[in-house]
Amino acid sequence: MPKPAARVEKIPPYLFARIDKKKSDAQSRGIDLVDFGIGDPDVPTPDHIVKVMQEAVARPWNHRYPAYEGMPEFRRAAAEWFCGRFGVRLDPDREVVALIGSKEGIAHLPWAYLQEGDAALIPSPGYPVYKVATLMSGATPYFMPLAEERGFEPDFESIPEEVKRKAKICFLNYPNNPTAATGSDSLYERAVDLARTHDILICHDAAYSEITYDGYKAKSILQFDRGKRYAVEFLSLSKTYCMTGWRIGFAVGNSEAIQNLGTLKTNIDSGVFQAIQEAGIAALTGSQECVAALCERFAARRDTVVDGLASIGINVARPLGSLYIWARTPRGYGSADFAEMLIEKAGVVVTPGSGFGEEGEGYFRMSITLGEERIREGISRLKALRL
Ligand SMILES: Cc1ncc(COP(=O)(O)O)c(C=O)c1O
């Protein structure tokens, strides 16, 4: 076999490999694991969306290649939903593109903007795709620490001038994975300032925009970049409508960036299966009651985890968004050691913070995508450890 390209060899080792091995060892010993590791809703897709898909799948015109950039009806539905939600009007022809899940767009956009010699500003801890996609493009990632004392928001001021000069894109993600932080108005304002001053495209990953609690509504970066001069935003139907397996999302914002992403995509993929786009239209234009009910359900689970952790001396603020609880490991434990110990001694799986970047060391992440009963079981196992 020929040697793989340097770009593939640059992909960092999979940081969860050790945990996965421990998990499969435990499973092969017949241990019943309570898995707080996976951020994938356990709740099925709402019926009205599934029904539309069932009918759409039978329509012969949906069996052909879809329009690359997404059906006009899908892009219109996305634009209308966005305007209803954030009060920002979008031109569905120039400012919206359909994605095969938001991950696909996040992974492809750096190819449209970055090359060797360029830099990308990436939050640490953060969703690993920002870093890998940057490395694949040949550019250099610059990690912006998300410190707890700054509300897990980056400090743009502390980025060296020469990095700012080389940076062409800056990734942000709120509600945040893994820290569960929500972005402040001032963060978005500062991000737009940074973009304006240094000619940087802000890429806001809003995969959890609708998964929020206690009346909190997440904002869009486009509410701060009204002229759509500096930003694109990635939205996802995955978590909002429990459609992670369907693979549908969309990007909105600066028309030039959307066109460039579209041009790249046209040459790589052939769009989203139209039956899935029809189901996506049903999700975006139908009643949003299902989203409210889902958030209520997740809020109750969040409370069970936060209160359960508090009862064993691990105190975390009650997050207002995302599907995660981000907590400090008990004194004396590194992230990976703590996660491995929990699998071995309690049959409980959490994600070590270090898997999300250096700044995640000393933390662990618990996902709330498992039922209340399992959450209670997991918490009582943690209690029994007397940490
Ligand atoms: C922060 C973040 N962004 C993007 C995604 C990708 O979501 P999807 O490709 O399903 O839209 C995820 C998935 O877990 C995520 O956590």
Side-chain angles (χ1 to χ4, degrees):
M1 282 297 287
K3 201 169 140 47
R7 121 172 39 89
V8 169
E9 290 184 322
K10 260 196 232 161
I11 297 179
Y14 182 56
L15 282 151
F16 303 123
R18 252 168 70 189
I19 296 297
D20 281 355
K21 168 95 175 58
K22 282 259 178 257
K23 233 171 104 172
S24 60
D25 286 353
Q27 274 160 337
S28 63
R29 293 200 306 275
I31 293 172
D32 163 45
L33 292 175
V34 180
D35 196 342
F36 290 97
I38 306 159
D40 188 355
D42 54 316
V43 179
T45 309
D47 279 347
H48 69 282
I49 302 172
V50 174
K51 285 211 178 78
V52 170
M53 174 73 175
Q54 281 167 335
E55 284 164 23
V57 100
R59 283 193 270 279
W61 64 80
N62 282 340
H63 302 166
R64 310 190 66 185
Y65 284 121
Y68 290 116
E69 66 281 9
M71 294 156 73
E73 298 84 349
F74 176 78
R75 284 180 282 118
R76 247 193 325 270
E80 272 163 29
W81 174 88
F82 195 88
C83 187
R85 175 67 178 80
F86 299 110
V88 176
R89 279 183 201 287
L90 297 166
D91 174 350
D93 293 330
R94 296 168 55 251
E95 295 172 340
V96 183
V97 64
L99 300 172
I100 311 169
S102 65
K103 180 180 186 178
E104 178 264 306
I106 292 166
H108 278 145
L109 188 110
W111 289 84
Y113 280 91
L114 299 178
Q115 57 202 9
E116 257 160 70
D118 296 335
L121 308 178
I122 295 172
S124 172
Y127 181 53
V129 179
Y130 316 137
K131 167 180 165 181
V132 174
T134 299
L135 289 173
M136 294 292 92
S137 74
T140 307
Y142 174 87
F143 296 105
M144 305 180 289
L146 301 187
E148 188 163 351
E149 54 278 14
R150 297 185 57 88
F152 298 111
E153 293 184 352
D155 176 12
F156 300 128
E157 294 280 298
S158 69
I159 302 170
E161 276 306 311
E162 68 177 275
V163 172
K164 284 180 184 158
R165 266 199 303 278
K166 285 185 182 165
K168 285 167 95 181
I169 61 183
C170 170
F171 281 105
L172 292 176
N173 162 226
Y174 294 93
N176 186 258
N177 175 16
T179 69
T182 43
S184 65
D185 286 9
S186 130
L187 168 74
Y188 293 120
E189 283 158 9
R190 283 183 286 118
V192 172
D193 263 357
L194 174 84
R196 189 184 298 119
T197 318
H198 294 278
D199 213 10
I200 292 172
L201 174 65
I202 307 291
C203 301
H204 185 231
D205 174 356
Y208 298 91
S209 65
E210 306 315 299
I211 308 297
T212 56
Y213 314 118
D214 306 344
Y216 172 77
K217 284 269 179 212
K219 294 220 170 143
S220 161
I221 183 93
L222 298 186
Q223 291 172 298
F224 300 85
D225 174 24
R226 290 249 162 206
K228 288 167 255 168
R229 292 176 63 189
Y230 308 107
V232 288
E233 188 155 78
F234 295 93
L235 293 121
S236 175
L237 279 71
S238 287
K239 317 283 158 116
T240 313
Y241 305 105
C242 302
M243 293 176 78
T244 48
W246 299 55
R247 312 311 303 135
I248 185 154
F250 56 97
V252 302
N254 180 267
S255 62
E256 211 179 295
I258 295 294
Q259 303 309 311
N260 286 331
L261 175 59
T263 302
L264 192 83
K265 279 173 57 56
T266 308
N267 289 284
I268 297 176
D269 63 66
S270 296
V272 180
F273 180 27
Q274 289 197 167
I276 295 178
Q277 294 190 54
E278 285 197 33
I281 295 169
L284 293 168
T285 60
S287 160
Q288 300 300 299
E289 268 304 302
C290 56
V291 185
L294 184 72
C295 289
E296 229 169 84
R297 203 160 161 181
F298 283 137
R301 293 174 179 188
R302 170 205 63 174
D303 289 343
T304 308
V305 174
V306 170
D307 296 341
L309 286 177
S311 75
I312 57 171
I314 299 177
N315 294 302
V316 289
R318 224 167 277 273
L320 291 176
S322 87
L323 295 172
Y324 309 108
I325 310 295
W326 182 246
R328 282 188 191 273
T329 52
R331 199 183 289 276
Y333 280 107
S335 291
D337 293 344
F338 182 63
E340 285 180 35
M341 183 279 287
L342 289 189
I343 296 178
E344 256 165 41
K345 301 224 166 111
V348 169
V349 182
V350 301
T351 310
S354 51
F356 299 98
E358 231 171 79
E359 304 292 332
E361 179 52 53
Y363 288 88
F364 65 98
R365 190 193 78 173
M366 289 173 84
S367 158
I368 52 173
T369 52
L370 67 178
E372 276 275 347
E373 217 174 286
R374 292 300 280 167
I375 292 179
R376 284 184 211 286
E377 167 66 22
I379 296 288
S380 73
R381 289 188 194 184
L382 295 184
K383 268 189 193 158
L385 284 177
R386 304 194 175 281
L387 289 164

